[in-house]
Amino acid sequence: MQIPLGWLSDWVGRKPVIVGGLALFASGSLIAGFADTATELVFGRCLQGGGAIASSVMALAADLTREEQRTKAMAVIGISIGLSFSVAFVAGPAIAAVGGLAAVFQLTAAMGMIGIAIVLFMVPTPPESARGGDSEVLARLSLIPRSLTDPVLFRLNAGVFVLHFILMSSFLFVPGLLETTAGVSREQHWTVYLPIMFLSVAGMVPMLAASERGGRQREMFLLGIVLLLAALAAIGFARGAWLLYVGLLLFFIAFNYMEAALPSLVSKLVFPGGKGTALGVYSTCQFFGAFAGGALGGWLLQAYGQDVSLGLSMLLLLLWLVLINMPQPAADAIPLQDAK
């Protein structure tokens, strides 16, 4: 749903789509919370997933920020997602222990409603000029295939696919390494993730500064991929806790930087009326990368072991490095002007 809802936000505005997506998410949470059968639970989860507003949120952030501040804004969004992931490791089991799984879903429904109130009453509405003017439906529909075929956007979409592939495939075995190599019990994993997330935010600040103020975006991209390769190597060869922790820290420094820089670049390449559509394609590649990393990475881990799964991730990073270093194509499918 990321692509159609991102496209819809270009046409009718960001806020209506975000509010509608949050309402759908909250409805799915309530259905899952009160589910008595597996079928009802799956249906509720599908409704939750249907509230696909990531692309619309990033497009709204792009509408409300200047280009020189946009990567910082995307970084804050990415950091909030990462912190919520870490907090959920602690809060989720505690809530489920008190009120059962239903309480977790009921809480997410309440948070969805709070999100609607925040969007309606606390988030500014971007001017029409920031989103782009209205145009015919067919003209706007043409943005979808153009977002898929643009050569420059393809590099960014491929990059976020690889980024989330290696995230999911790696974290199929990292929890086991924390237990066997570092001696950290499963219930205490948050004590590792949370400080690493905070330290990684501090570590990405110099990369953001060099990229935005120093004009070294390409160099920081290359550094980010090299850090990811070094992180996976450290994790794979770790025979003690400290090398594993260093590998995780390097991983999240690079991951957080890429997570901020990639959508910022997408939003800068596209004219205002096409940001939602392009970011919808971007978000779809992001989530498909997570799916592929979990599915293929899990199969490789089960069939051939950790080293093969890790090797595939490193191979994908090397291919990404080659893709970035290829001659820069012209961005002609999504011009920096209205589709009209």
Side-chain angles (χ1 to χ4, degrees):
M1 294 298 291
Q2 291 292 340
I3 295 176
L5 290 185
W7 172 84
L8 190 62
S9 76
D10 283 333
W11 192 21
V12 303
R14 315 294 185 208
K15 280 190 166 185
V17 173
I18 294 172
V19 169
L22 286 171
L24 193 62
F25 171 80
S27 301
S29 298
L30 289 174
I31 290 173
F34 291 104
D36 293 320
T37 67
T39 301
E40 293 172 355
L41 180 63
V42 170
F43 178 69
R45 290 289 286 157
C46 286
L47 279 181
Q48 282 185 312
I53 57 171
S55 56
S56 302
V57 168
M58 289 189 292
L60 178 60
D63 291 342
L64 295 173
T65 53
R66 301 189 306 274
E67 283 199 6
E68 58 270 20
Q69 298 296 324
R70 193 164 300 160
T71 304
K72 293 179 184 177
M74 298 296 182
V76 171
I77 293 174
I79 290 166
S80 70
I81 294 171
L83 290 178
S84 68
F85 181 78
S86 300
V87 171
F89 267 108
V90 185
I95 295 167
V98 174
L101 188 61
V104 176
F105 285 116
Q106 290 159 11
L107 175 63
T108 58
M111 294 178 72
M113 300 307 295
I114 292 170
I116 290 175
I118 290 172
V119 171
L120 291 176
F121 302 112
M122 297 180 65
V123 178
T125 300
E128 183 69 18
S129 59
R131 183 173 58 85
D134 290 332
S135 61
E136 295 180 0
V137 177
L138 290 178
R140 288 203 175 276
L141 281 173
S142 70
L143 293 176
I144 296 176
R146 291 158 67 199
S147 296
L148 290 165
T149 57
D150 181 89
V152 177
L153 292 180
F154 174 79
R155 295 183 180 208
L156 302 178
N157 294 334
V160 78
F161 175 91
V162 172
L163 189 65
H164 283 261
F165 183 101
I166 65 173
L167 174 71
M168 292 304 296
S169 63
S170 299
F171 275 80
L172 291 172
F173 56 79
V174 162
L177 290 178
L178 285 174
E179 293 183 57
T180 59
T181 303
V184 181
S185 65
R186 180 103 15 168
E187 306 80 47
Q188 298 299 313
H189 283 189
W190 67 271
T191 62
V192 175
Y193 292 137
L194 200 58
I196 282 177
M197 285 300 297
F198 278 111
L199 289 172
S200 68
V201 170
M204 69 178 280
V205 170
M207 295 180 70
L208 283 175
S211 173
E212 295 299 302
R213 297 178 189 173
R216 297 178 179 175
Q217 197 166 67
R218 177 181 174 80
E219 289 84 351
M220 291 303 102
F221 254 84
L222 296 175
L223 176 60
I225 297 176
V226 170
L227 286 178
L228 287 171
L229 284 167
L232 292 181
I235 292 170
F237 287 105
R239 297 296 179 266
W242 284 108
L243 186 57
L244 179 60
Y245 294 157
V246 168
L248 289 174
L249 179 59
L250 292 177
F251 183 95
F252 280 107
I253 288 174
F255 180 88
N256 287 336
Y257 171 74
M258 294 293 194
E259 193 80 340
L262 285 167
S264 175
L265 274 174
V266 172
S267 70
K268 292 175 182 178
L269 283 169
V270 183
F271 73 95
K275 288 176 185 174
T277 304
L279 287 166
V281 173
Y282 171 88
S283 295
T284 300
C285 294
Q286 175 181 358
F287 293 126
F288 186 64
F291 163 76
L296 181 57
W299 176 75
L300 288 174
L301 182 64
Q302 184 179 24
Y304 300 104
Q306 172 188 314
D307 291 343
V308 173
S309 179
L310 195 64
L312 176 61
S313 293
M314 298 182 77
L315 175 62
L316 288 175
L317 284 171
L318 290 172
L319 291 175
W320 188 11
L321 198 62
V322 171
L323 188 63
I324 288 178
N325 282 292
M326 289 174 64
Q328 185 75 7
D332 54 359
I334 303 293
L336 298 178
Q337 58 188 9
D338 198 317
K340 293 187 292 185

